[in-house]
Amino acid sequence: MFLSVFDIFKIGVGPSSSHTMGPMVAGVRFLDTLRNSPFTAHGVRVRLHGSLAFTGKGHATDRASILGLAGIEPESYDNDHAEKILAANARDHLLKPEGLPPLVFDPARDLIFDFETPLPGHANGMVIEALDAQGDVLMHEIYYSIGGGFVRTEAELAAVDDAARDAPSPVPFPFKTAEEMLAMAHASGLSIAQMKRRNEARFRGHEEIDAGLAKIWATMRDCMERGLTSEGELPGGLRVKRRAKAIHESLKADWGQNLAPPHQINDWISAYAMAVNEENAAGGQVVTAPTNGAAGVLPSVIRYWLDHVPSASSAKIPDFLLTAAAVGGLIKTNASISGAECGCQAEVGSAAAMAAAGLAAVLGGTPEQIENAAEIALEHHLGMTCDPVKGLVQVPCIERNGLGAIKAVSAASLALRGDGTHFVPLDAAIETMRQTGRDMHEHYKETSLGGLAVNVPNC
């Protein structure tokens, strides 16, 4: 099963790829279905289930659902335009998507948080219905937001079975496991990034690939810069203060002092990661890497490498991203990148594995060392729960990205000290993560019903 680098890295809006971007995408898709149907709808209704219900308000799922049904897409999101749509809907209870008549939608009545009935396909489930003037259902669809901004209908999710996974692939290097990836690299003499690029080239030209990768990094970099220069409290009621700017300015003041301890580099890495996730928490533009909740890990490792490693060259950023995407694709295909499905090991853990692989690649690692780096990073996030306080992507999420980035750098460094041989294969770590997520209590999978979410005051 091929996953493009542009599937793993999506430009979108915070605070959550699964709870904000996903419902927005689902709404847009429902509008397309409605435009192509024989029905003339009078109104629409949304029912949120599972984790989307439990942490939906903290993740802005209510806003995202309304905006999606107004035709707003994550990649082209404009906050001023979105606020005007939300204000108009609050005033007249109408949505006016292009190509359809105005649709009645009263959030107090038509946006339902169903805490009692989980849907069978995934923890992030939602039902969207088109209604006639009497309130009867003309059409309905079940959508699952499966992490990283990926959305599947009920039928699409059911179709991804073993037969689909085993279907012939159109790409020249169709590795489904890390073992296959290493075998193909050995047989071809190509790096992981080179194989990934050749796979991408089956669908788009090299200039388009390079332009897309450049846009991904530019968006990541710009997000980080906004976070490093912004102050104030984050929205949501926890009154969490932005810290990245103050930390960064303190580090710059100490720059070049001989008395600075070596471990201070960890503070630089953390500041970079926290800047991204503070922007994400504020609803800014971010890149899924592989999710919004873990969006700071990978760009902070790239920034660390560019600014603090003498041999770094921005010309290698595409190799970093392609290698990271190869590892992210393996994790998503064989386990999950959804906190609601497998806890934070699937988000920050996956991001750390991707970042470690990318860093090992640009530092000259062999495919075996790159696979080892990814395995070390993922292994030492196994069992990490997702327990956001008040359902907000703030505590512990922002600091957790900083620590995930530090682990990624350490994992790459350790792997490069060896020859690539190691005891636990990456495939085993991915499978262990899947099993651990399956066995993890629902309270610890993005429902805010356990862990820090119930042991820290929410005000």
Side-chain angles (χ1 to χ4, degrees):
M1 181 179 294
F2 172 72
L3 279 176
S4 170
V5 63
F6 304 110
D7 291 325
I8 296 295
F9 299 116
K10 298 186 186 74
I11 297 172
V13 61
S16 173
S17 48
S18 58
H19 289 60
T20 315
M21 290 172 59
M24 202 179 292
V25 169
V28 171
R29 289 190 59 183
F30 187 80
L31 294 178
D32 287 338
T33 303
L34 196 55
R35 291 185 188 101
N36 294 321
S37 77
F39 305 112
T40 299
H42 176 76
V44 285
R45 182 166 59 206
V46 177
R47 191 182 301 272
L48 303 172
H49 296 261
S51 179
L52 291 184
F54 283 110
T55 61
K57 290 189 177 179
H59 287 71
T61 307
D62 44 358
R63 289 169 50 93
S65 298
I66 297 169
L67 293 171
L69 287 170
I72 303 300
E73 299 184 74
E75 187 167 355
S76 57
Y77 177 87
D78 177 84
N79 190 64
D80 291 339
H81 182 49
E83 291 298 334
K84 290 178 182 177
I85 289 173
L86 293 169
N89 176 250
R91 183 182 62 250
D92 58 25
H93 298 160
L94 291 175
L95 296 172
K96 300 176 182 178
E98 184 177 350
L100 289 168
L103 300 171
V104 173
F105 185 86
D106 179 358
R109 181 193 64 212
D110 298 318
L111 183 58
I112 302 164
F113 290 79
D114 188 334
F115 302 103
E116 304 297 329
T117 315
L119 297 180
H122 192 277
N124 292 331
M126 63 188 297
V127 178
I128 306 179
E129 298 172 326
L131 310 173
D132 64 16
Q134 288 73 44
D136 294 327
V137 177
L138 295 173
M139 185 179 76
H140 91 287
E141 183 62 83
I142 297 174
Y143 295 95
Y144 292 106
S145 180
I146 61 175
F150 290 89
V151 174
R152 299 287 183 269
T153 65
E154 184 176 44
E156 289 167 345
L157 200 66
V160 182
D161 54 16
D162 291 338
R165 290 174 185 269
D166 294 336
S169 175
V171 298
F173 298 100
F175 49 84
K176 301 184 187 72
T177 65
E179 182 180 15
E180 291 178 355
M181 180 177 73
L182 292 178
M184 291 179 189
H186 179 75
S188 66
L190 299 175
S191 69
I192 294 171
Q194 288 170 329
M195 292 193 298
K196 184 67 176 170
R197 178 178 282 274
R198 294 198 183 185
N199 285 350
E200 297 289 339
R202 289 285 289 112
F203 304 96
R204 50 182 59 85
H206 288 289
E207 289 185 0
E208 185 181 354
I209 294 170
D210 288 333
L213 294 173
K215 184 178 181 181
I216 287 169
W217 169 239
T219 306
M220 289 178 171
R221 182 195 61 220
D222 292 347
C223 175
M224 190 183 303
E225 286 301 322
R226 291 193 303 274
L228 290 172
T229 55
S230 298
E231 296 177 303
E233 288 185 357
L234 296 171
L238 287 181
R239 306 204 68 181
V240 171
K241 292 182 179 180
R242 289 178 180 256
R243 292 184 289 156
K245 179 183 177 182
I247 295 170
H248 190 233
E249 289 181 347
S250 175
L251 288 167
K252 288 192 294 183
D254 291 344
W255 185 256
Q257 293 186 14
N258 292 331
L259 297 178
H263 66 255
Q264 196 176 80
I265 192 62
N266 290 336
D267 298 340
W268 286 92
I269 297 169
S270 292
Y272 298 147
M274 291 169 65
V276 173
N277 282 86
E278 287 174 357
E279 274 297 292
N280 177 63
Q285 188 179 61
V286 296
V287 178
T288 62
T291 66
N292 283 23
V297 175
L298 190 139
S300 68
V301 173
I302 295 179
R303 178 71 176 266
Y304 154 75
W305 167 65
L306 287 174
D307 287 4
H308 301 273
V309 178
S311 63
S313 167
S314 59
K316 292 184 179 180
I317 289 175
D319 286 348
F320 193 117
L321 294 173
L322 288 164
T323 304
V327 169
L330 292 176
I331 296 172
K332 186 183 184 308
T333 298
N334 296 302
S336 176
I337 57 172
S338 167
E341 190 171 21
C342 285
C344 198
Q345 58 176 351
E347 297 207 27
V348 170
S350 297
M354 292 166 59
L359 182 59
V362 297
L363 291 177
T366 64
E368 290 77 14
Q369 289 172 318
I370 292 166
E371 184 261 359
N372 187 16
E375 183 278 322
I376 294 171
L378 183 60
E379 178 183 350
H380 298 291
H381 283 88
L382 290 175
M384 181 174 281
T385 61
C386 182
D387 50 353
V389 177
K390 205 177 179 180
L392 299 168
V393 192
Q394 298 179 17
V395 179
C397 319
I398 294 170
E399 285 182 353
R400 189 168 283 176
N401 274 257
L403 274 291
I406 291 168
K407 284 187 182 182
V409 173
S410 296
S413 183
L414 282 174
L416 292 171
R417 293 289 179 183
D419 62 2
T421 58
H422 55 106
F423 192 79
V424 179
L426 175 58
D427 289 328
I430 293 172
E431 173 59 16
T432 302
M433 191 256 276
R434 186 192 68 80
Q435 293 177 5
T436 305
R438 178 196 61 197
D439 296 339
M440 189 180 290
H441 196 286
E442 295 301 319
H443 285 184
Y444 303 103
K445 293 194 286 188
E446 211 167 356
T447 58
S448 291
L449 295 175
L452 289 175
V454 299
N455 288 299
V456 175
N458 288 352
C459 58

